[in-house]
Amino acid sequence: MSKNKELAARRERAVPRGVSVAYPIHAARAENAELWDEEGRRFVDFAGGIAVLNTGHRHPRVIAAVERQLAHYTHTAFQIVPYEPYIELAERLNTLAPFKAPAKTIFFTTGAEATENAVKIARAATGRSAVIAFAGGFHGRTMMTMALTGKTLPYKKKFGPMPAEVYHVPFPVADHGTTVADTLKALDTLFRADVEPSRVAAIMIEAVQGEGGFYEAPQELLVALRKICDEHGILLVVDEVQTGFARTGKLFAIEHSGVEPDMITIAKSLGGGFPISGVIGRAEIMDAPEPGGLGGTYAGSPVACAAALAVLDVIAEEKLLDRANAMGVRIKAKLNSIASRNDVVPITGIRGFGAMIGFDIVKARGTYEPDAEATKRVTTAALEEGLILLSCGVYSNAIRILVPLTASDAVLDEGMEKLERALAAARG
């Protein structure tokens, strides 16, 4: 029996089936944008641990920072004995985040924790309870964040009922037949039919939907939401868990719109592979909860804070904002070339800011009829080619590219060539 099959059998016996696994390989080692499995096979990584590795696997600066921290202490619980790496990281993010007024930052461990605590902070600051989110959005797997997530399968099946006072409106996607006007009309209907604005604590939106299909929130919508929130005393919370830290060519994707939110949730690539998340927001909002109301035993781990400080250094010193934009141009050019071929599965809707690129697989050129089965064939063929690739989308027909921003042009081009062959192989 191969090592991968042996480990798969052990996993099946030891791990619940609710933890799904995308591919039948098991990691042995990884560097930057490359990964080797237990059988020595090399893969180009276009998944990045689901957008966690903007600075690549085991970036030397990140590893060195972690090793220095390990020599001092690994855990005290910040709310028992605080430490400088947490404070320094908060200071830097408060300066970097797109807020005109003074900001404050609190750290947690997972993206879901950050989102859950953003709701707590919003409720404390406004004295209200309702929260509005968007269809197709993904915010986590805890009860509150699962309720906020706008996709039933697989995230909500068997786990109901959901927490009360969470409402959804459509996310505007032209290919899905939903416009910004449709979204705003649905929001107005929601205010008149189900929850008055004076009961709404926050509207939560991803600047670019991740699991929902890599669709950007239109600037028109974000501007309108900011106006609505200001008019009714509602807080605008932007989920930057997947989009943050240079992926879109800005440190935060919301910066593309020029709209200032009230809070931003962060995680994933902040830690460069080490678990850390947080909420950044306007200081007077962040101070609303009482002392002891926020926190967590492992929240803001000193090891993860050290890694995150190194990540911010790498983003600045290696000019990863510029690199993301350059990579995006290169990726889109290749995809547009592939889209013109007749011997690949039909693709459309090439989109994205910076290097957060997605596209759709459809049944026929010139139309938008999602083809989830062909999409699955593409990701399977990609693995056979030596490429780790993720799908997403409300119709399970989108391909997302999350290659580390530190990948060389040679490795990036190699990955795109593997993708091209997979799109051809999936046509049959």
Side-chain angles (χ1 to χ4, degrees), residues 83-325:
Y83 35 85
E84 186 175 10
Y86 187 119
I87 297 166
E88 182 182 354
L89 183 58
E91 290 171 336
R92 289 183 65 176
L93 290 173
N94 294 340
T95 300
L96 292 168
F99 297 105
K100 296 184 180 70
K104 289 190 174 183
T105 298
I106 183 170
F107 297 113
F108 302 100
T109 308
T110 68
E113 276 186 278
T115 306
E116 186 112 3
N117 278 276
V119 172
K120 290 170 61 177
I121 294 165
R123 286 177 167 176
T126 63
R128 306 172 181 184
S129 53
V131 184
I132 297 171
F134 289 81
F138 179 82
H139 300 287
R141 289 181 171 88
T142 61
M143 289 304 294
M144 175 54 73
T145 59
M146 186 168 50
L148 289 164
T149 291
K151 188 175 181 180
T152 56
L153 295 174
Y155 305 114
K156 299 183 182 183
K157 185 176 181 179
K158 297 186 177 181
F159 297 134
M162 296 294 115
E165 294 204 278
V166 175
Y167 303 89
H168 291 90
V169 293
F171 188 86
V173 178
D175 285 337
H176 298 175
T178 304
T179 67
V180 171
D182 293 332
T183 298
L184 295 176
K185 182 178 180 180
L187 183 59
D188 181 64
T189 300
L190 182 68
F191 284 156
R192 288 185 286 107
D194 291 312
V195 58
E196 64 273 27
S198 61
R199 273 188 31 230
V200 177
I203 295 177
M204 182 173 292
I205 188 169
E206 294 168 282
V208 181
Q209 285 200 334
E211 173 64 20
F214 274 37
Y215 290 104
E216 306 102 323
Q219 182 182 28
E220 178 188 357
L221 174 63
L222 293 169
V223 170
L225 291 178
R226 180 70 274 173
K227 182 178 179 181
I228 290 167
C229 287
D230 290 341
E231 180 181 351
H232 296 291
I234 300 168
L235 300 182
L236 181 60
V237 181
V238 176
D239 183 331
E240 293 264 6
V241 168
Q242 188 160 163
T243 55
F245 303 101
R247 172 55 54 183
T248 68
K250 300 282 189 182
L251 196 64
F252 302 101
I254 192 63
E255 295 178 84
H256 288 281
S257 71
V259 171
E260 182 177 334
D262 296 299
M263 284 187 281
I264 294 173
T265 61
I266 54 174
K268 290 191 180 282
S269 275
L270 171 61
F274 292 85
I276 186 170
S277 67
V279 183
I280 316 170
R282 292 192 287 115
E284 69 272 19
I285 293 170
M286 299 297 291
D287 278 337
E290 296 293 327
L294 303 175
T297 300
Y298 294 105
S301 155
V303 176
C305 286
L309 288 165
V311 164
L312 295 179
D313 289 339
V314 171
I315 290 171
E317 293 170 16
E318 298 187 16
K319 296 180 171 55
L320 293 191
L321 301 184
D322 294 337
R323 178 61 178 157
N325 288 318

